[in-house]
Tab-separated table of all heavy atoms in Angstrom:
chain	number	residue	atom	x	y	z
A	257	ASN	N	103.885	104.528	88.265
A	257	ASN	CA	103.529	103.669	89.394
A	257	ASN	C	103.542	102.183	89.052
A	257	ASN	O	103.240	101.346	89.902
A	257	ASN	CB	102.151	104.039	89.933
A	257	ASN	CG	102.130	105.390	90.610
A	257	ASN	OD1	101.620	106.355	90.062
A	257	ASN	ND2	102.691	105.480	91.804
A	258	THR	N	103.890	101.836	87.807
A	258	THR	CA	103.920	100.427	87.420
A	258	THR	C	105.250	99.762	87.760
A	258	THR	O	105.393	98.547	87.621
A	258	THR	CB	103.643	100.266	85.919
A	258	THR	OG1	104.723	100.856	85.165
A	258	THR	CG2	102.323	100.929	85.532
A	259	VAL	N	106.212	100.555	88.195
A	259	VAL	CA	107.532	100.029	88.546
A	259	VAL	C	107.870	100.432	89.974
A	259	VAL	O	107.248	101.340	90.532
A	259	VAL	CB	108.616	100.563	87.576
A	259	VAL	CG1	108.346	100.086	86.168
A	259	VAL	CG2	108.674	102.091	87.614
A	260	PRO	N	108.855	99.771	90.600
A	260	PRO	CA	109.244	100.168	91.956
A	260	PRO	C	109.664	101.629	92.005
A	260	PRO	O	110.338	102.131	91.099
A	260	PRO	CB	110.420	99.242	92.271
A	260	PRO	CG	110.184	98.039	91.426
A	260	PRO	CD	109.582	98.558	90.160
A	261	VAL	N	109.268	102.315	93.088
A	261	VAL	CA	109.586	103.737	93.217
A	261	VAL	C	110.868	103.961	94.011
A	261	VAL	O	111.479	105.032	93.910
A	261	VAL	CB	108.419	104.511	93.854
A	261	VAL	CG1	107.171	104.351	93.016
A	261	VAL	CG2	108.154	104.060	95.290
A	262	ALA	N	111.279	102.962	94.778
A	262	ALA	CA	112.493	103.116	95.578
A	262	ALA	C	112.977	101.751	96.041
A	262	ALA	O	112.206	100.775	96.065
A	262	ALA	CB	112.246	104.017	96.784
A	263	SER	N	114.248	101.702	96.429
A	263	SER	CA	114.783	100.490	97.042
A	263	SER	C	115.896	100.863	98.008
A	263	SER	O	116.541	101.909	97.876
A	263	SER	CB	115.301	99.505	95.992
A	263	SER	OG	116.456	100.017	95.346
A	264	LEU	N	116.088	99.990	98.984
A	264	LEU	CA	117.132	100.135	99.994
A	264	LEU	C	117.822	98.791	100.131
A	264	LEU	O	117.149	97.745	100.156
A	264	LEU	CB	116.513	100.556	101.331
A	264	LEU	CG	117.460	100.854	102.491
A	264	LEU	CD1	118.242	102.148	102.220
A	264	LEU	CD2	116.679	100.984	103.801
A	265	THR	N	119.156	98.795	100.191
A	265	THR	CA	119.882	97.534	100.305
A	265	THR	C	120.930	97.607	101.408
A	265	THR	O	121.496	98.668	101.687
A	265	THR	CB	120.588	97.164	98.981
A	265	THR	OG1	121.475	98.219	98.611
A	265	THR	CG2	119.576	96.927	97.881
A	266	SER	N	121.165	96.456	102.038
A	266	SER	CA	122.187	96.335	103.074
A	266	SER	C	123.071	95.134	102.758
A	266	SER	O	122.592	93.993	102.732
A	266	SER	CB	121.551	96.151	104.451
A	266	SER	OG	122.524	95.764	105.412
A	267	GLU	N	124.352	95.398	102.512
A	267	GLU	CA	125.275	94.294	102.277
A	267	GLU	C	125.530	93.514	103.562
A	267	GLU	O	125.828	92.327	103.526
A	267	GLU	CB	126.584	94.827	101.706
A	267	GLU	CG	126.429	95.426	100.311
A	267	GLU	CD	127.743	95.939	99.756
A	267	GLU	OE1	128.762	95.885	100.489
A	267	GLU	OE2	127.754	96.402	98.592
A	268	GLU	N	125.374	94.178	104.695
A	268	GLU	CA	125.643	93.544	105.991
A	268	GLU	C	124.707	92.375	106.256
A	268	GLU	O	125.132	91.307	106.702
A	268	GLU	CB	125.526	94.578	107.109
A	268	GLU	CG	125.854	94.030	108.489
A	268	GLU	CD	125.787	95.095	109.554
A	268	GLU	OE1	125.617	96.279	109.218
A	268	GLU	OE2	125.899	94.729	110.742
A	269	THR	N	123.424	92.563	105.998
A	269	THR	CA	122.446	91.495	106.234
A	269	THR	C	122.012	90.800	104.949
A	269	THR	O	121.295	89.803	105.003
A	269	THR	CB	121.189	92.054	106.922
A	269	THR	OG1	120.642	93.111	106.111
A	269	THR	CG2	121.517	92.579	108.305
A	270	GLY	N	122.427	91.352	103.805
A	270	GLY	CA	122.036	90.764	102.529
A	270	GLY	C	120.590	91.016	102.171
A	270	GLY	O	120.020	90.304	101.346
A	271	LEU	N	119.974	92.046	102.767
A	271	LEU	CA	118.573	92.339	102.508
A	271	LEU	C	118.412	93.488	101.521
A	271	LEU	O	119.185	94.451	101.524
A	271	LEU	CB	117.852	92.714	103.807
A	271	LEU	CG	117.538	91.588	104.781
A	271	LEU	CD1	116.899	92.151	106.049
A	271	LEU	CD2	116.620	90.548	104.152
A	272	LYS	N	117.362	93.357	100.715
A	272	LYS	CA	116.937	94.444	99.831
A	272	LYS	C	115.456	94.681	100.054
A	272	LYS	O	114.669	93.730	100.131
A	272	LYS	CB	117.187	94.092	98.363
A	272	LYS	CG	116.710	95.166	97.392
A	272	LYS	CD	116.989	94.773	95.945
A	272	LYS	CE	116.519	95.860	94.983
A	272	LYS	NZ	116.804	95.515	93.569
A	273	MET	N	115.071	95.952	100.181
A	273	MET	CA	113.668	96.323	100.331
A	273	MET	C	113.254	97.148	99.110
A	273	MET	O	113.917	98.119	98.765
A	273	MET	CB	113.447	97.133	101.607
A	273	MET	CG	111.994	97.524	101.852
A	273	MET	SD	111.774	98.489	103.373
A	273	MET	CE	112.321	100.115	102.812
A	274	THR	N	112.155	96.753	98.490
A	274	THR	CA	111.650	97.445	97.301
A	274	THR	C	110.289	98.045	97.613
A	274	THR	O	109.417	97.370	98.174
A	274	THR	CB	111.532	96.476	96.114
A	274	THR	OG1	112.814	95.883	95.869
A	274	THR	CG2	111.067	97.202	94.865
A	275	VAL	N	110.110	99.319	97.252
A	275	VAL	CA	108.893	100.068	97.569
A	275	VAL	C	108.064	100.274	96.303
A	275	VAL	O	108.584	100.718	95.275
A	275	VAL	CB	109.225	101.445	98.179
A	275	VAL	CG1	107.945	102.146	98.637
A	275	VAL	CG2	110.223	101.308	99.327
A	276	ARG	N	106.772	99.960	96.406
A	276	ARG	CA	105.808	100.261	95.341
A	276	ARG	C	104.614	100.987	95.954
A	276	ARG	O	104.260	100.754	97.111
A	276	ARG	CB	105.309	98.986	94.647
A	276	ARG	CG	106.335	98.287	93.765
A	276	ARG	CD	105.751	97.023	93.157
A	276	ARG	NE	106.665	96.342	92.262
A	276	ARG	CZ	106.708	96.508	90.946
A	276	ARG	NH1	105.852	97.346	90.375
A	276	ARG	NH2	107.570	95.840	90.205
A	277	THR	N	103.974	101.848	95.165
A	277	THR	CA	102.805	102.575	95.666
A	277	THR	C	101.963	103.083	94.507
A	277	THR	O	102.466	103.232	93.384
A	277	THR	CB	103.228	103.753	96.567
A	277	THR	OG1	102.076	104.355	97.150
A	277	THR	CG2	103.999	104.805	95.787
A	278	ASN	N	100.697	103.366	94.790
A	278	ASN	CA	99.839	104.009	93.794
A	278	ASN	C	99.734	105.517	94.030
A	278	ASN	O	98.930	106.203	93.402
A	278	ASN	CB	98.432	103.384	93.787
A	278	ASN	CG	97.669	103.621	95.086
A	278	ASN	OD1	98.184	104.177	96.055
A	278	ASN	ND2	96.424	103.174	95.120
A	279	GLN	N	100.566	106.038	94.937
A	279	GLN	CA	100.537	107.459	95.263
A	279	GLN	C	101.410	108.274	94.304
A	279	GLN	O	102.325	107.726	93.671
A	279	GLN	CB	100.994	107.667	96.699
A	279	GLN	CG	100.065	107.037	97.729
A	279	GLN	CD	98.685	107.660	97.692
A	279	GLN	OE1	98.452	108.738	98.222
A	279	GLN	NE2	97.745	106.981	97.046
A	280	PRO	N	101.170	109.595	94.212
A	280	PRO	CA	101.936	110.405	93.258
A	280	PRO	C	103.312	110.847	93.741
A	280	PRO	O	104.071	111.438	92.978
A	280	PRO	CB	101.033	111.626	93.031
A	280	PRO	CG	100.265	111.756	94.304
A	280	PRO	CD	100.030	110.349	94.781
A	281	SER	N	103.634	110.577	95.013
A	281	SER	CA	104.954	110.963	95.510
A	281	SER	C	105.360	110.077	96.669
A	281	SER	O	104.532	109.389	97.278
A	281	SER	CB	104.975	112.436	95.955
A	281	SER	OG	104.241	112.610	97.158
A	282	VAL	N	106.651	110.122	96.973
A	282	VAL	CA	107.171	109.490	98.182
A	282	VAL	C	108.095	110.498	98.857
A	282	VAL	O	108.992	111.062	98.221
A	282	VAL	CB	107.903	108.156	97.884
A	282	VAL	CG1	109.072	108.349	96.933
A	282	VAL	CG2	108.364	107.485	99.174
A	283	HIS	N	107.813	110.760	100.129
A	283	HIS	CA	108.643	111.687	100.895
A	283	HIS	C	109.698	110.865	101.625
A	283	HIS	O	109.366	109.977	102.427
A	283	HIS	CB	107.792	112.477	101.886
A	283	HIS	CG	108.547	113.598	102.528
A	283	HIS	ND1	108.618	114.853	101.981
A	283	HIS	CD2	109.294	113.634	103.662
A	283	HIS	CE1	109.356	115.632	102.746
A	283	HIS	NE2	109.789	114.913	103.779
A	284	VAL	N	110.948	111.149	101.338
A	284	VAL	CA	112.055	110.394	101.927
A	284	VAL	C	112.692	111.246	103.021
A	284	VAL	O	112.996	112.423	102.812
A	284	VAL	CB	113.094	110.017	100.861
A	284	VAL	CG1	114.244	109.235	101.477
A	284	VAL	CG2	112.422	109.193	99.757
A	285	TYR	N	112.890	110.621	104.190
A	285	TYR	CA	113.290	111.383	105.374
A	285	TYR	C	114.389	110.659	106.139
A	285	TYR	O	114.229	109.506	106.547
A	285	TYR	CB	112.068	111.591	106.270
A	285	TYR	CG	112.317	112.392	107.538
A	285	TYR	CD1	112.997	113.594	107.508
A	285	TYR	CD2	111.837	111.935	108.763
A	285	TYR	CE1	113.203	114.332	108.675
A	285	TYR	CE2	112.028	112.659	109.933
A	285	TYR	CZ	112.719	113.857	109.875
A	285	TYR	OH	112.925	114.580	111.023
A	286	VAL	N	115.513	111.342	106.327
A	286	VAL	CA	116.629	110.870	107.148
A	286	VAL	C	117.136	112.058	107.953
A	286	VAL	O	117.210	113.174	107.447
A	286	VAL	CB	117.796	110.338	106.287
A	286	VAL	CG1	118.978	109.932	107.175
A	286	VAL	CG2	117.364	109.159	105.438
A	287	GLY	N	117.505	111.836	109.204
A	287	GLY	CA	118.185	112.875	109.970
A	287	GLY	C	117.297	113.654	110.910
A	287	GLY	O	117.476	114.861	111.085
A	288	GLY	N	116.333	112.981	111.540
A	288	GLY	CA	115.425	113.672	112.450
A	288	GLY	C	116.155	114.377	113.577
A	288	GLY	O	117.084	113.827	114.175
A	289	ASN	N	115.738	115.614	113.872
A	289	ASN	CA	116.453	116.399	114.879
A	289	ASN	C	116.103	116.004	116.311
A	289	ASN	O	116.652	116.560	117.249
A	289	ASN	CB	116.212	117.896	114.669
A	289	ASN	CG	114.749	118.286	114.776
A	289	ASN	OD1	113.926	117.526	115.273
A	289	ASN	ND2	114.418	119.473	114.288
A	290	CYS	N	115.186	115.050	116.478
A	290	CYS	CA	114.849	114.611	117.833
A	290	CYS	C	115.726	113.448	118.283
A	290	CYS	O	115.727	113.065	119.446
A	290	CYS	CB	113.383	114.197	117.918
A	290	CYS	SG	112.951	112.866	116.794
A	291	PHE	N	116.485	112.866	117.349
A	291	PHE	CA	117.297	111.720	117.724
A	291	PHE	C	118.471	112.150	118.595
A	291	PHE	O	118.918	113.286	118.573
A	291	PHE	CB	117.780	110.983	116.480
A	291	PHE	CG	116.664	110.323	115.726
A	291	PHE	CD1	116.442	110.594	114.399
A	291	PHE	CD2	115.812	109.452	116.371
A	291	PHE	CE1	115.402	109.991	113.704
A	291	PHE	CE2	114.770	108.838	115.697
A	291	PHE	CZ	114.569	109.112	114.352
A	292	GLY	N	118.969	111.194	119.368
A	292	GLY	CA	119.956	111.513	120.385
A	292	GLY	C	119.281	111.730	121.728
A	292	GLY	O	119.917	111.700	122.777
Side-chain angles (χ1 to χ4, degrees):
N257 291 106
T258 66
V259 297
V261 301
S263 68
L264 184 70
T265 58
S266 168
E267 294 181 357
E268 183 177 353
T269 57
L271 286 177
K272 178 180 181 179
M273 182 180 79
T274 303
V275 186
R276 289 179 178 266
T277 186
N278 65 355
Q279 296 297 281
S281 72
V282 59
H283 190 88
V284 180
Y285 181 48
V286 177
N289 60 15
C290 59
F291 293 124

